[in-house]
Structure formats: C-alpha cells, structure tokens
Amino acid sequence: MPDKKKKTNKKNANNKVWKTVGGNVIIWVLIIVMSVTALQLFSTDKKPKQVTYSEFKDFLDAGKIDSAEIVGRTFNGKFRSPEIFENEVTTESKEFTTFVTILPEVSIEMTKSWDDNNIKYEFKGQTFGLTEYLIQFSPWLLIILFWFFLMRKMQGGGGQSGIFNFAKSRAKIISPDTPKTSFKDVAGCEEAKVELQEIVEFLKHPKKFKKLGAKIPRGGLLMGPPGTGKTLLAKAVSGEAGVPFFTISGAEFVEMFVGVGASRVRDLFDQAKRNAPSIIFIDEIDAVGRHRGAGLGGGHDEREQTLNQILVEMDGFDTDDSVILLAATNRPDVLDKALLRPGRFDRQIVIDVPGLEGREAILKIHTKGVPLAKDIDLKTLAKGTPGLAGADLENLVNEAALFAARRNKKKVFNSDLEDAKDKVMMGVERKSMILTQSEREITAYHEGGHALVAYHTKDADPVHKVTIIPRGRALGVTAQLPVDEKHNYSKNYLLGRLDILMGGRCAEKIIFNDTTTGAGNDIAVATDISRKMVTEWGMTDVIGPLAFAQKSEEIFLGRDISQGNDLSNEMCNLIDSEITKLVKAAEVNADKILNKNIDQLHAVAKALLEFETIDGNDLNRLVSGEKIVKIKPDKLSEEKPRRRRSKKDKTTENPSV
C-alpha cells in the first residue's frame, strides 16, 4: 500500500510539472510572436522605400544606384548617398538609403543598362528566414491558441479539465495523509454517527463482514436542513476509515455538451474503484437526482442521462469493490424513487436540527480555540438558541469573538455571546434608520400588543425580549423562547400563536383607531398556520381529519404542473371559510385581552419608548404595576446586534415589518 501511494504521488507530481512546463511554453511562444510582429510593424525606419518603376528609371539615369539584389522581379537597391523623400500626407521629409521596386521583367537590355551605370548586382533565390516564417504563420498560431483557450473556458477551465479531458471527473481527492476529520469533530447528530459507524467498520475490516455473508452497503443518503453538518459528517467517515475521499457537487456533472455528465460519472467511479477502498461523496445530489420526466423539455435531457449513469454505476458495484457512495441533500422529496430503493442508497440517515444537548456539544467544539470568561455557561446559552443548526451556532461564536475584539477585550464574555445571539436570531440593529416620533409610538404599541397577549395566553412561550430598534427587515421584534424543546404542537398552542400574531394589529386599532403595513408579516404567518391547521393537521370540526395540502413546500417544475387539483369548488370555499374563521377569531381574542389590560399596554409601550428594549423580567414587573430602571440606550458605549428568524422558528417570534 505505501508503494502504491508513492507511485500515485510521483505520477501526480510529474503531471503537475508537465502542466507547468506546457503552460510556460505557450506563454513564451506568444511573447516571441508578439515581439517579432511588433518589431516588424513599428520599425518603419529600417524598411526600404517603396518606389515606382518610373522613379526607379529616373534614379538609374541619374546614376544614384550603387548596388542591388534581385529576387525574382523584386529589385532591392541601395543609393550611393541617402535620398530625401517627402511624405505626401504629413509633408515631413525622411532619408532613405535603400529602396525596393517591382520590375516588369528582367531582360538582357535591362542588365546592360545596370552595367553601364556601374551597379553591382546579383541574383538570389527566394528564401524565408525565421522572422518571415513567424510573421507569415503567426495569425494562424494565434487563432489556434485562442481556440484552445476558448474551449478550456467553455468546459470550466483549470485543474484537470483540459481540451482533451473535459469529460473527466471534477472530483477533489482528499488523501488519507491529509489532516483528518473524525467523529470527535462532529456533534449534535449522535444517531447519525452510530449509523455511519457500521460503514467505517466495513471499510476497516471487510473480512469480518464477508465471513458472515453480509453485503457491503452500497450507499448512504444524508438528509437534513442546511447547516446541520451533512458534509462534515461525510468527511468524518472518511477520516475514521482512513481511505481516499472523492468529493464533488451534483451541479459539476452537468455541462452544455450532451453525454459529458454521464462520462464524468463513469470516470469518477473508475477512479474510486482503482483506489478502493474509498468513499465517493456527492453533495447536493438533488441537482442531478430529481424525478425523471419532471421537466418541460422532454425526458431525455442531459441531467436525466447523468442520473441514469449514476444508477447503472451503483448497480455495477462488485461485491469485492470496497467503494461506498455517500450523498447529501436538503430536498429528499424531489429525488427520484430509483435512487432511494434498497440496493442503492441502503442507508437514509436523517440529520435534524440539534436538541439541547446537541447544541451544547456543538458550542463546546466551536469554543475550543476561543478564550472564554469564567461567567459563561454554555448550557444556558444552548437553552436560549432553539432551532439553530450547527452552522448557526458556529456563526454565533464567531460573532461573539468579533464583538469582544471590537470592544478591546482579551476574552469573550457572556454579554458578547448574548449580543451575538440577538444578532443571529433577531437580525442586525439598523441604528442608522431614523423613525419619526409617530412611527416609534405605533411600533411601541404594536410590539407591546404582541408581548402582552403572549403574557396572558395560557401555555404560550415566555417573552424573551421586546425591542423597537429596527432589526433586519422589521421595525421592531418581540421574541419568545420555549422553556422546553418542542417537537409537537397542540391545537391550543397554535390557537394561542394566532392570538399573539394578531396582538400587534389589534393594539394599533385600539390606540390609534387605524392599522398600518407593520402587521403584514404577522398576517402572512397567521394565514399560513391557519391553512396548515385546516388542510394538513385536521384541527377544525367542520372539515375534520382530512389532508388536502401538497407535501412539497416549493413548486417542483413539471411534477406540480402535471398534478391536478382534486378539490371541488365547494371544498375550496369551505377551506377558505375555515381559515378566515380561525384568523378572525384570533383577532377577537387578542382584542379582548388588550382592552381588558389597557393600562398594562400603556405601561409597556411607555417603557419601550423610553428604553427601546425590555426583556422578559422587565415585562413581568410592568404587568405587576412596578416601575423599571434601566440605562438608556444612548448612554451605552457598546454596539448591540439583531435577530434573524429562521423558518423553523416562525411560531416562536413576532416580528413587525
């Protein structure tokens, strides 16, 4: 095995040398050709003067010609003394010592006149020197080089995709000798690691499984939302097994030329088999693995041919070929069923958003190289970040380090992490956005309405923070954080969520007897929740437990067009009626809560106008009739961040647009 690695490395080094030499040769050829051409074009002072035959006869009769070389009918003459010629356009004068003219013929009488005028002449054959050859063929050479360059660009250029090997695989090869990623570097997906551990064991000890008649797993499909660590987990499998790792994106298979994708698939699998045991990882496989026949341009496009070749290669795995195919996607609903059957992707591993323990473990990994203060409790921080994926938590730690550096701190403190958490979850503070006093009052009562309805709603998530500082695309934000992890939502909880969402709009109507566009996003979220309650979750008595909604959240071109609507007009009207009832009932409930606690609403709005931001403890004191004392935001020296809402957390926050 070591000898094989050395041979492979030596071969790669030789290829690299030849590529470098070839590139340098092309560059030097271009430089020489351009230099010679420029020399010939711009060195006009060394060129002979072009004269007519009549002028030539005048010079001959006047005895001004000293010597000459005759090539065919071309007379290359030299003057006895420099002759001055005037430019007809610029009227400038210039001296010439040589001239050239074309003779009508070369006869005995003509040569006799040359002898009479004591001209030294000789006849020479027509020859071309290196310069003449370069000048003559340089246009063709430039055309060929330009065509070569254009073809490389059309095929993506660079790397191993030359003019004659554009059908080769673009996969990056990670050698076992490179720094390894192990399962210790991955957290928050313990179940997935257990599933993949068996693949690692097979690659390490294949004989143990073959003795018992166990077959090699053909492939493993990693499914989950973006940022949950699918690619990192695939690298960890390679690092644990200590085998070559071929990684490529699904989009890199498809090019403008027919058959290129299928050819690259064949080359990729051939390389993996030659380096077996090995792992192939295709990221974003949905780029080539979508349902066949779903497009509008026919069923034989380049993408489908690429998918067919992947299926053929997976079926062609020999039992002795220790090659594992791993793939990742966040859209498993659009994949072709042929990919998902047993014998191809045997393992379908779901990697979901991490829970409380998973988030704490992820934070510990990402804070290893960060100097932390003693007051930091990662478990508490993990409790306050529900719905965040591994990539979000990594970004949170990085933002906290940036805050600490900006404030000239030597360590990252809890305040830095809290500010970073607000920035990641709620959005960035737009302090440059100046609101009028009227807009501030409307926003204060709007967010106060959300917070107060949430406080008086049974089983609602506690209010975490309320702010009227513009964050992201919202003029204000009311953020709620659940006490415990929720994986299921009851009907009462969702009805409460609708009440909270309508609280901002109701507060505007009660105080100002008017409504604004600030409730636009609240209405959209409330309508979406109501529609799912009616069409997916069976939470209405009129329609009952019936499902009408499409499972796909996004339109899948071709498939969704081909699927007809099975609902009657009466059922569609009934669904719309039930959705309207839910939203209007929520508005009535929110209105009752706010009118009953109008004094509390004024107190919360007044506090928001004064301090701009209050937390859950401040809200509890205000509702109890107590006054709060805080440092005003204009006296704070440190910059504060904002909160971006994730799709998963739509039901835990109330932003106003």
Side-chain angles (χ1 to χ4, degrees):
M1 198 68 175
D3 294 337
K4 187 176 180 181
K5 291 179 183 178
K6 288 180 181 179
K7 289 180 181 179
T8 304
N9 294 333
K10 187 176 180 181
K11 185 178 179 182
N12 293 334
N14 291 334
N15 291 336
K16 189 175 181 180
V17 170
W18 279 112
K19 286 179 181 180
T20 305
V21 172
N24 291 335
V25 168
I26 294 173
I27 293 172
W28 280 111
V29 168
L30 283 172
I31 292 173
I32 292 171
V33 171
M34 293 176 68
S35 301
V36 172
T37 305
L39 186 64
Q40 294 295 322
L41 290 174
F42 298 104
S43 299
T44 55
D45 56 330
K46 296 182 179 180
K47 289 185 177 181
K49 174 65 177 177
Q50 298 280 344
V51 300
T52 63
Y53 183 67
S54 59
E55 291 176 326
F56 165 73
K57 290 183 66 178
D58 294 337
F59 293 141
L60 181 64
D61 296 336
K64 295 183 178 182
I65 303 175
D66 180 66
S67 58
E69 291 182 354
I70 298 91
V71 182
R73 292 191 300 115
T74 303
F75 188 92
N76 300 298
K78 183 179 180 182
F79 294 113
R80 296 186 186 278
S81 60
E83 288 289 325
I84 299 174
F85 291 86
E86 188 177 277
N87 193 309
E88 296 179 356
V89 179
T90 62
T91 67
E92 294 181 357
S93 300
K94 196 171 183 180
E95 290 186 348
F96 287 89
T97 58
T98 57
F99 70 94
V100 61
T101 188
I102 303 299
L103 304 174
E105 61 177 353
V106 181
S107 60
I108 297 174
E109 291 79 8
M110 189 173 291
T111 57
K112 188 178 179 190
S113 63
W114 299 345
D115 294 331
D116 295 339
N117 286 278
N118 297 322
I119 298 175
K120 304 172 185 177
Y121 62 89
E122 62 177 331
F123 292 92
K124 289 189 174 183
Q126 191 169 3
T127 58
F128 290 100
L130 179 60
T131 302
E132 287 79 8
Y133 276 113
L134 288 175
I135 294 173
Q136 185 175 359
F137 293 104
S138 59
W140 293 103
L141 183 60
L142 290 173
I143 291 172
I144 293 172
L145 291 174
F146 178 75
W147 177 80
F148 180 81
F149 173 79
L150 184 64
M151 292 300 294
R152 282 179 61 90
K153 287 294 183 183
M154 289 175 65
Q155 299 303 326
Q160 53 183 341
S161 58
I163 187 68
F164 299 111
N165 59 353
F166 63 87
K168 298 291 185 180
S169 169
R170 304 279 187 87
K172 298 177 182 177
I173 305 174
I174 300 176
S175 172
D177 300 330
T178 58
K180 298 179 180 179
T181 302
S182 65
F183 284 149
K184 295 180 180 179
D185 303 317
V186 185
C189 50
E190 300 304 318
E191 294 83 1
K193 288 196 289 186
V194 172
E195 285 287 321
L196 293 171
Q197 186 65 43
E198 194 170 296
I199 295 176
V200 174
E201 285 294 321
F202 184 90
L203 292 172
K204 283 184 174 181
H205 312 289
K207 293 182 180 180
K208 181 175 72 172
F209 293 86
K210 291 178 180 179
K211 284 180 180 180
L212 298 173
K215 296 181 179 179
I216 177 178
R218 298 294 180 91
L221 182 63
L222 308 178
M223 305 180 296
T228 51
K230 299 184 294 293
T231 304
L232 183 63
L233 194 56
K235 291 181 180 179
V237 173
S238 172
E240 291 285 340
V243 298
F245 185 75
F246 297 81
T247 177
I248 190 172
S249 172
E252 294 184 73
F253 285 113
V254 183
E255 292 281 359
M256 63 181 290
F257 297 109
V258 177
V260 172
S263 178
R264 288 178 178 175
V265 170
R266 287 192 295 270
D267 184 69
L268 173 61
F269 279 82
D270 287 341
Q271 290 185 48
K273 290 175 184 178
R274 288 195 300 268
N275 292 273
S278 60
I279 295 175
I280 299 174
F281 177 64
I282 303 177
D283 200 6
E284 306 295 343
I285 194 174
D286 50 278
V288 293
R290 296 194 172 215
H291 289 285
R292 286 169 290 183
L296 299 180
H300 298 285
D301 60 1
E302 174 66 4
R303 181 187 57 79
E304 291 193 4
Q305 292 186 33
T306 305
L307 173 59
N308 290 336
Q309 189 62 43
I310 292 176
L311 298 176
V312 170
E313 293 292 341
M314 293 185 72
D315 285 337
F317 277 0
D318 295 329
T319 55
D320 295 332
D321 289 336
S322 299
V323 179
I324 304 292
L325 176 62
L326 297 180
T329 181
N330 51 25
R331 294 294 309 278
D333 56 305
V334 304
L335 294 180
D336 195 277
K337 293 181 179 179
L339 272 175
L340 305 178
R341 73 161 176 81
R344 286 177 177 149
F345 282 113
D346 303 279
R347 305 288 174 88
Q348 297 178 21
I349 305 164
V350 178
I351 305 175
D352 209 343
V353 176
L356 176 60
E357 294 182 359
R359 293 196 300 274
E360 184 181 358
I362 293 172
L363 287 171
K364 287 181 180 179
I365 291 175
H366 292 307
T367 54
K368 280 184 179 178
V370 179
L372 300 178
K374 295 181 179 180
D375 66 333
I376 290 179
D377 185 4
L378 294 180
K379 189 171 185 178
T380 304
L381 181 63
K383 287 182 178 179
T385 54
L388 295 190
D392 299 320
L393 295 173
E394 182 183 9
N395 184 42
L396 189 152
V397 174
N398 184 63
E399 289 290 344
L402 292 175
F403 273 118
R406 195 181 305 160
R407 297 162 181 172
N408 297 319
K409 298 179 180 179
K410 295 183 179 180
K411 292 183 178 181
V412 176
F413 289 80
N414 192 58
S415 59
D416 302 316
L417 285 170
E418 285 296 322
D419 290 342
K421 183 180 72 173
D422 290 345
K423 182 177 182 178
V424 172
M425 298 183 69
M426 295 193 312
V428 183
E429 286 186 2
R430 293 185 294 168
K431 291 189 174 182
S432 60
M433 186 176 183
I434 301 175
L435 301 179
T436 63
Q437 184 61 27
S438 174
E439 289 175 327
R440 292 183 76 251
E441 290 180 0
I442 293 172
T443 305
Y445 277 98
H446 182 104
E447 299 303 330
H450 285 311
L452 204 58
V453 173
Y455 182 87
H456 290 285
T457 299
K458 186 180 179 182
D459 298 329
D461 295 327
V463 175
H464 170 64
K465 188 172 291 186
V466 187
T467 180
I468 61 171
I469 299 175
R471 288 180 176 269
R473 298 174 61 184
L475 298 181
V477 176
T478 299
Q480 297 172 253
L481 292 178
V483 178
D484 300 313
E485 295 285 327
K486 283 187 174 67
H487 305 285
N488 238 346
Y489 299 100
S490 66
K491 180 180 178 180
N492 289 331
Y493 177 85
L494 294 173
L495 291 174
R497 287 294 309 134
L498 295 179
D499 296 346
I500 296 168
L501 287 166
M502 303 308 296
R505 173 183 167 89
C506 291
E508 292 180 10
K509 289 175 66 177
I510 294 171
I511 302 300
F512 304 100
N513 196 27
D514 197 2
T515 56
T516 67
T517 58
N521 187 69
D522 300 328
I523 295 172
V525 175
T527 305
D528 183 60
I529 294 174
S530 301
R531 185 176 299 279
K532 290 181 178 180
M533 290 176 67
V534 175
T535 61
E536 293 185 35
W537 302 327
M539 292 182 176
T540 57
D541 297 331
V542 176
I543 294 178
L546 297 176
F548 303 102
Q550 298 279 344
K551 293 296 182 183
S552 175
E553 294 288 338
E554 301 176 16
I555 295 177
F556 183 18
L557 188 62
R559 185 190 68 187
D560 291 345
I561 292 176
S562 64
Q563 291 181 350
N565 187 4
D566 297 330
L567 299 180
S568 63
N569 292 332
E570 291 79 6
M571 182 57 71
C572 289
N573 293 332
L574 187 59
I575 290 173
D576 292 340
S577 176
E578 290 298 301
I579 294 172
T580 304
K581 285 181 182 179
L582 288 173
V583 177
K584 287 188 174 181
E587 188 176 19
V588 172
N589 292 335
D591 190 80
K592 289 180 180 179
I593 293 173
L594 294 175
N595 277 301
K596 186 178 178 180
N597 303 280
I598 190 68
D599 293 336
Q600 296 175 3
L601 178 62
H602 288 303
V604 173
K606 184 180 178 181
L608 287 172
L609 288 171
E610 183 177 0
F611 304 112
E612 294 187 332
T613 301
I614 61 175
D615 57 22
N617 296 326
D618 296 330
L619 179 64
N620 294 334
R621 287 196 290 270
L622 289 170
V623 172
S624 302
E626 301 177 17
K627 292 184 178 181
I628 60 174
V629 179
K630 294 168 65 83
I631 301 175
K632 292 185 178 180
D634 57 356
K635 295 182 180 180
L636 296 175
S637 60
E638 296 181 348
E639 181 183 350
K640 289 201 172 184
R642 21 190 134 165
R643 175 173 206 191
R644 177 172 53 88
R645 300 171 41 219
S646 64
K647 293 181 180 179
K648 185 113 177 167
D649 249 358
K650 277 186 179 180
T651 59
T652 61
E653 298 173 10
N654 300 324
S656 303
V657 179

